[in-house]
Amino acid sequence: MHLKKSIFILYLLATFSTYSQEEKFNKTSIETGIGLHVPLAPNDKISRSNYVNFGSFEFGIRYMFNQKLGAKLKYTYNGFRDKNDTDTGINNNTIAVEGFYNVGRLVLPYYIYNKATIFFHTGVGYTRATALGKNVTEQTGNLNFGFRPQVKINDWFSVFADGNYNMVFKQHYSYSGELLSPDYEDQNGSFATLNFGVIFSLGKNKHHVDWY
């Protein structure tokens, strides 16, 4: 009985100690980036290479619950354009919620991950897609996952590169903005993005929990 009480007390002390240490760090960050997108599917009515361009933008707020796990609310824009006809394409505006896991803390030694680390992230989102030159807008759901290496520049500022795979559910329009099927049959689509951006730490503390 005394042993169980001792173990329980030790557990509480360890939990309080970990919580106290994490409270010494900032946990919130603002993040934004721009980059490249590549349509993968469906390929109907497009030449894929014509739609590979720098039309991706993201902005979000991330909160880390502890040194490994966090969540992010983000807005993304992907403007798909035919490079030979910029009046042909579709605009995707997405709101997504993601979970973040600091993989670097598992696979990298401290003297590296306190300067450079890598996150795995995955989430779900809601998209409104608007075809150019047409009075049509469709709503789709999506699932995404990716890896994000990031490098600390100083205690308040970091940079990242984010490779992301996006699955789109019940897509009715191609990346050219044309209807995929005259019978309005949907398809599942996908595209990849590679964004480069910056991270700003928010909070009263000197250090961010990403790095300690």
Side-chain angles (χ1 to χ4, degrees):
M1 189 65 177
H2 290 296
L3 179 60
K4 289 182 179 179
K5 287 183 178 179
S6 298
I7 293 174
F8 181 68
I9 291 171
L10 287 173
Y11 172 77
L12 289 178
L13 289 172
T15 302
F16 178 76
S17 175
T18 301
Y19 176 80
S20 298
Q21 289 176 10
E22 289 174 354
E23 285 304 299
K24 297 177 182 178
F25 306 118
N26 296 325
K27 294 184 176 182
T28 305
S29 56
I30 290 179
E31 308 173 350
T32 188
I34 58 174
L36 178 78
H37 54 214
V38 181
L40 300 175
N43 290 322
D44 308 48
K45 306 179 186 297
I46 69 166
S47 171
R48 180 186 296 165
S49 60
N50 284 357
Y51 287 81
V52 178
N53 57 53
F54 287 90
S56 182
F57 167 79
E58 66 173 270
F59 176 84
I61 298 176
R62 177 168 54 92
Y63 179 81
M64 296 299 293
F65 304 113
N66 53 45
Q67 293 169 314
K68 295 179 181 178
L69 292 172
K72 181 177 179 178
L73 176 66
K74 73 173 183 178
Y75 162 78
T76 62
Y77 166 81
N78 284 282
F80 295 95
R81 300 288 186 274
D82 186 337
K83 67 181 181 181
N84 296 323
D85 181 7
T86 55
D87 292 327
T88 299
I90 196 165
N91 293 329
N92 285 4
N93 292 277
T94 302
I95 297 293
V97 177
E98 295 180 302
F100 268 67
Y101 186 80
N102 192 343
V103 180
R105 294 189 67 87
L106 285 181
V107 300
L108 299 173
Y110 174 74
Y111 66 85
I112 293 179
Y113 78 65
N114 73 338
K115 299 180 180 66
T117 191
I118 182 168
F119 280 85
F120 170 77
H121 59 91
T122 184
V124 294
Y126 161 80
T127 297
R128 287 180 64 89
T130 305
L132 295 186
K134 300 179 178 66
N135 189 27
V136 292
T137 298
E138 74 166 342
Q139 303 175 63
T140 61
N142 57 74
L143 172 69
N144 72 80
F145 63 87
F147 287 92
R148 188 179 81 178
Q150 62 184 54
V151 177
K152 182 174 71 172
I153 304 301
N154 57 41
D155 289 324
W156 299 97
F157 178 70
S158 306
V159 295
F160 70 83
D162 193 333
N164 205 46
Y165 177 79
N166 302 268
M167 292 178 280
V168 183
F169 305 114
K170 296 186 176 298
Q171 184 172 330
H172 296 92
Y173 291 88
S174 75
Y175 295 102
S176 66
E178 298 177 75
L179 194 62
L180 289 168
S181 166
D183 299 321
Y184 205 67
E185 294 179 355
D186 62 76
Q187 296 186 37
N188 290 334
S190 62
F191 64 94
T193 59
L194 177 61
N195 284 347
F196 301 90
V198 294
I199 304 167
F200 298 97
S201 172
L202 299 179
K204 62 182 181 180
N205 298 306
K206 182 178 180 180
H207 304 297
H208 194 279
V209 74
D210 283 354
W211 310 108
Y212 294 92

